[in-house]
Amino acid sequence: MALQIIEKSDLAFFVQNLMDHFQLEGVQSKGQSVYGQAFFYGTIRSPAELCLDFDCTVMPPKKYFLPPQEALFRFQTGPSPACFECRPNKPLVIFGIHPYDLKAISQMDRVFAAGTPDPHYLARREATILIGIDPTHVAPRSFWASMEAAVVSSGFDLMMTDLGANYIVETGSEKGKALLGDYAKVRPATSDEVRQRVSQRSHIADMGQKRGLTFPKREIPILLQHSLTSPLWEENATKCLSCGTCNLVCPTCYCFDVWDDMELNLTQGQRLRRWDGCLLSDFARVATGENFRGTRTSRYRHRFYRKGQYLFFGILDDVACVGCGRCAAFCLPDIADPVEVFNRLKEKLN
Ligand code: SF4
Ligand code: SF4
């Protein structure tokens, strides 16, 4: 489908239609915080609530596919043991996802489809329509251009770019095409507007270069191979609070804990899972009591190897960091910034 134009004056019409037919989630501005203006994903109840002019949300949209806590199944024990499925399939539209978060979702799609596919994650993804938006601002700690996530050409149903007077929209799937056809007022883009989009997207890539890696991203796995005993791990880890914030705000952190929650009758219960984080002190504690990453240094270092090496070779053929900069922005002692750590490791090696 050729690129389409939505006039800014028609955006509210599109948003209202989506609200009438789907659960619509999008970015809302929540005012100033100590970190600057705070943006969060939430349910959109009026077109005016939707913000498309944000730099970075505090939390990524991963909660829509991997909720902070969920029931995997319910069960009963006793003479007639049984399991009852809890399968999510609520249709959802998420409006306003930046390219780096779209890239993170594409990576998570691969992780949750690999090996034994995760039916809960995949059912939610299947029921969700993603509307991307190219950024107009860069958050102070973002470095997404370095992580090849300034623009994306897949991983969305619709992708919008702000051209000033209007939005130019690329269709990425049949679902996206139907959404535009059924709920938006559109017209085909002119060749001038198509050219404007090319130059706007190259401007976005330039904006994202304000900070970044001093070397190509694909060298990260080899850099880590030579950095296992670097003093930097201990130097930074002595300041780590083991709070797990860097895990929670990361769009590519997906570890979870699983446990059974029994009811008082001791015959019924549910199996739950909730977010976990490799920086938390109990993360690697096993049933016999041993903790195989019992020191802050081992946990701190692990996170960078997980992002830069293990997932690269295991599943993604890519670094599992998209450069959103959330971990850097919200780590109190300011030691979680991947670009800072990778650049310093590189310096030490040279
Ligand atoms: S690196 Fe920072 S955000 Fe992460 S656990 Fe340590 S103190 Fe918390
Ligand atoms: S490691 Fe940090 S910068 Fe990279 S994707 Fe996760 S939160 Fe964003």
Side-chain angles (χ1 to χ4, degrees):
M1 192 180 180
L3 293 166
Q4 301 289 312
I5 293 287
I6 299 178
E7 299 300 340
K8 285 205 169 158
S9 51
D10 292 330
L11 184 69
F13 172 83
F14 184 33
V15 175
Q16 183 66 52
N17 262 339
L18 294 178
M19 280 165 38
D20 292 344
H21 293 89
F22 299 89
Q23 179 178 335
L24 182 64
E25 300 289 314
V27 178
Q28 297 166 338
S29 171
K30 299 281 185 182
Q32 290 292 319
S33 76
V34 286
Y35 300 105
Q37 191 157 12
F39 300 100
F40 283 90
Y41 282 96
T43 304
I44 301 295
R45 296 198 168 80
S46 120
E49 280 182 0
L50 181 68
C51 172
L52 294 179
D53 196 19
F54 60 100
D55 56 4
C56 188
T57 55
V58 173
M59 295 296 288
K62 71 176 174 182
K63 66 176 180 180
Y64 295 117
F65 315 115
L66 186 68
Q69 179 168 309
E70 69 175 315
L72 298 176
F73 57 85
R74 293 176 208 291
F75 58 83
Q76 68 184 34
T77 57
S80 320
C83 271
F84 309 99
E85 212 177 23
C86 305
R87 190 62 66 85
N89 62 356
K90 197 161 58 170
L92 201 69
V93 174
I94 309 176
F95 201 137
I97 307 177
H98 279 167
Y100 49 85
D101 275 337
L102 286 168
K103 183 171 176 175
I105 293 170
S106 296
Q107 289 192 345
M108 292 305 94
D109 290 352
R110 292 178 66 182
V111 166
F112 281 95
T116 305
D118 186 302
H120 292 77
Y121 177 94
L122 296 174
R124 286 199 179 87
R125 272 296 282 120
E126 180 58 33
T128 305
I129 297 175
L130 304 179
I131 305 180
I133 180 87
D134 279 325
T136 45
H137 301 287
V138 189
R141 303 301 291 270
S142 293
F143 54 98
W144 31 257
S146 258
M147 306 317 275
E148 295 165 12
V151 290
V152 285
S153 54
S154 62
F156 51 81
D157 296 291
L158 293 174
M159 187 73 210
M160 300 178 38
T161 310
D162 189 340
L163 295 186
N166 49 43
Y167 294 99
I168 189 164
V169 190
E170 180 183 351
T171 303
S173 70
E174 285 303 315
K175 281 197 243 176
K177 187 175 169 185
L179 210 65
L180 270 194
D182 293 346
Y183 303 117
K185 289 182 195 161
V186 291
R187 64 166 171 83
T190 63
S191 45
D192 258 6
E193 286 162 337
V194 174
R195 275 195 292 275
Q196 232 182 304
R197 177 184 194 246
V198 173
S199 93
Q200 177 62 16
R201 292 187 119 196
S202 108
H203 168 66
I204 290 167
D206 290 345
M207 276 187 339
Q209 298 285 2
K210 270 191 241 158
R211 66 190 303 267
L213 293 174
T214 53
F215 60 96
K217 178 188 74 161
R218 290 196 79 81
E219 288 178 18
I220 290 175
I222 200 84
L223 171 69
L224 289 173
Q225 204 162 320
H226 296 289
S227 304
L228 201 62
T229 55
S230 169
L232 182 66
W233 305 124
E234 175 114 34
E235 193 186 307
N236 278 357
T238 51
K239 300 178 209 152
C240 178
L241 306 169
S242 297
C243 64
T245 300
C246 48
N247 295 132
L248 297 183
V249 299
C250 177
T252 65
C253 274
Y254 59 87
C255 288
F256 52 81
D257 195 9
V258 175
W259 81 102
D260 287 347
D261 185 32
M262 289 299 289
E263 289 182 19
L264 285 178
N265 61 18
L266 295 183
T267 57
Q268 288 166 317
Q270 51 183 346
R271 181 155 296 176
L272 301 167
R273 72 169 163 192
R274 72 172 161 220
W275 291 356
D276 204 345
C278 58
L279 270 290
L280 299 173
S281 56
D282 274 354
F283 181 77
R285 189 183 302 281
V286 292
T288 48
E290 287 93 351
N291 189 341
F292 54 89
R293 275 200 295 276
T295 64
R296 277 184 295 176
T297 304
S298 61
R299 295 192 292 273
Y300 175 80
R301 183 180 63 184
H302 170 80
R303 173 170 167 260
F304 292 93
Y305 276 76
R306 179 82 176 155
K307 302 269 172 223
Q309 206 182 58
Y310 306 154
L311 283 168
F312 188 103
F313 293 124
I315 300 176
L316 298 176
D317 191 28
D318 199 355
V319 173
C321 168
V322 293
C324 66
R326 291 178 175 104
C327 57
F330 299 114
C331 170
L332 279 180
D334 198 1
I335 50 165
D337 187 354
V339 82
E340 192 87 32
V341 168
F342 291 139
N343 284 345
R344 281 191 64 197
L345 288 175
K346 183 75 178 168
E347 257 169 50
K348 282 178 190 281
L349 264 195
N350 286 340

